[in-house]
Amino acid sequence: MPETPLKGWSYSPDVPVQVSPFFQWPLRPLDMLKWVWHSWFLISEKLLIVGLAFISFYWFQPPLEQTKSLAFDWIGLMYARNLVLMTLVAGGLHLFFYAFTKQGKELRYDARPLLKKGRQFTLGAQVRDNMFWTLASGVTIWTAYEVLMFWAMANGYAPMLTWAANPVWFVALFFLVPVWESFYFYWIHRFLHIPFLYKHVHALHHRNVNVGPWSGLSMHPVEHVIYLGTVLIHWVVAAHPVHILFHLQYYTLSAATTHCGFEGLVVKDQNRLNLGTFHHQMHHRYFECNYGSLEIPWDKLFGSFHDGTSASHERIQKRRLGKMGD
Ligand SMILES: [Zn+2]
Ligand SMILES: [Zn+2]
């Protein structure tokens, strides 16, 4: 019997929302293959970002010899590159979906407009607020982490991996970054929901009840430091510079796509490129659910998974009321 979807959404995907078939028993090898195929191949956002990382590395990245000592010229170049990348992705999606409404309401989760006014927003409106925090704080801290990692690699403080020495691990790392994201993001996100941190830090991201592309990386600077701190794992796990670029571009640029408010890009009546994620969209509206992503089902494990069905909704509401009664 098909599940009844939730009320109050302009569009919602087939529910229940499915988590990755890895980490489930019994093993379903076919579903696993399908998961990897759908999340990586055809045209996928992950594959596009791998492409961007290579383009950045070959054409827009100062060589390691230069990053040995800190200097304004090469740091400025990286900062400019990241500003352009973020503006192209978040700005491009915003223009396409919101300014020119090229896709109308098709595959749009929440058809209410982004807020043109609101006292909670820096600069008085949602998009301006989101752009400000993304560009002023997000891109700056993203670049700072890149600078730190390239400086550390150039000086031999962080371990380096090369294609020649270990091609298998070189390729595997691209697949592992999104799995690591699912692990890391869940835990820091739960941490950010501790009342003190929520109030002073994470609330800034949650000004957005309905989200757009610029909302993804719109965070308090302290949250940027924690969120993008993911890349520090490469002080322990050896990587090539292109993995460093991919790792941070994946965290920053896919924040814009997952928050874009649309399930995907429709070309000739079909969704050709997955973008938004309904489970995170629900986190922004319902709040105490779906802290993680779908690659590792932490939320399922800890009872906070909202799969988009009415049954799930009731359970989450009850859980919330139960907590308030404590
Ligand atoms: Zn949150
Ligand atoms: Zn969010």
Side-chain angles (χ1 to χ4, degrees), residues 83-95:
L83 275 175
V84 168
L85 272 178
M86 196 70 218
T87 306
L88 282 179
V89 174
L93 290 169
H94 182 83
L95 287 179

Side-chain angles (χ1 to χ4, degrees), residues 58-72:
Y58 281 113
W59 288 294
F60 302 99
Q61 175 60 38
L64 277 183
E65 305 90 73
Q66 204 182 345
T67 63
K68 256 187 180 159
S69 46
L70 302 180
F72 278 111

Side-chain angles (χ1 to χ4, degrees), residues 205 211 215-216 259 280 283-284:
H205 182 65
V211 290
S215 310
H259 286 77
H280 192 73
H283 175 69
H284 278 267

Side-chain angles (χ1 to χ4, degrees), residues 189 193 198 202 205-206 280 283 287 291:
H189 193 185
H193 274 261
Y198 182 82
H202 191 49
H205 182 65
H206 276 281
H280 192 73
H283 175 69
F287 201 61
Y291 297 98

Side-chain angles (χ1 to χ4, degrees), residues 294-313:
L294 302 175
E295 304 274 346
I296 306 180
W298 293 113
D299 282 297
K300 270 195 148 174
L301 219 62
F302 293 101
S304 53
F305 187 56
H306 192 322
D307 66 10
T309 60
S310 318
S312 187
H313 196 60

Side-chain angles (χ1 to χ4, degrees), residues 125-295:
Q126 188 175 7
V127 177
R128 259 181 276 164
D129 169 279
N130 291 178
M131 287 180 73
F132 173 77
W133 292 105
T134 298
L135 296 173
S137 169
V139 176
T140 308
I141 291 164
W142 163 18
T143 310
Y145 272 120
E146 280 183 351
V147 168
L148 172 72
M149 293 312 298
F150 281 104
W151 170 83
M153 274 190 164
N155 287 287
Y157 303 136
M160 172 98 170
L161 171 80
T162 59
W163 165 262
N166 202 335
V168 174
W169 188 239
F170 187 98
V171 173
L173 255 191
F174 288 107
F175 290 89
L176 290 174
V177 164
V179 179
W180 166 245
E181 186 268 348
S182 205
F183 174 83
Y184 183 80
F185 179 62
Y186 175 82
W187 288 105
I188 60 153
H189 193 185
R190 285 234 77 150
F191 175 68
L192 287 162
H193 274 261
I194 292 171
F196 177 83
L197 280 167
Y198 182 82
K199 185 169 165 227
H200 297 286
V201 177
H202 191 49
L204 196 152
H205 182 65
H206 276 281
R207 287 172 183 175
N208 305 292
V209 176
N210 191 10
V211 290
W214 284 106
S215 310
L217 202 64
S218 178
M219 302 169 183
H220 189 282
V222 171
E223 183 168 349
H224 283 134
V225 170
I226 298 173
Y227 176 69
L228 299 170
T230 171
V231 77
L232 296 177
I233 192 169
H234 296 302
W235 284 81
V236 185
V237 176
H240 183 271
V242 78
H243 295 118
I244 303 292
L245 293 167
F246 172 69
H247 198 143
L248 286 165
Q249 288 177 3
Y250 180 70
Y251 268 59
T252 50
L253 303 178
S254 78
T257 57
T258 54
H259 286 77
C260 83
F262 287 77
E263 175 111 325
L265 182 69
V266 175
V267 183
K268 291 187 186 152
D269 291 331
Q270 256 200 49
N271 177 8
R272 307 281 174 174
L273 178 65
N274 284 331
L275 294 168
T277 54
F278 190 55
H279 69 278
H280 192 73
Q281 182 97 21
M282 287 193 280
H283 175 69
H284 278 267
R285 192 191 281 192
Y286 303 135
F287 201 61
E288 285 185 9
C289 62
N290 298 356
Y291 297 98
S293 46
L294 302 175
E295 304 274 346

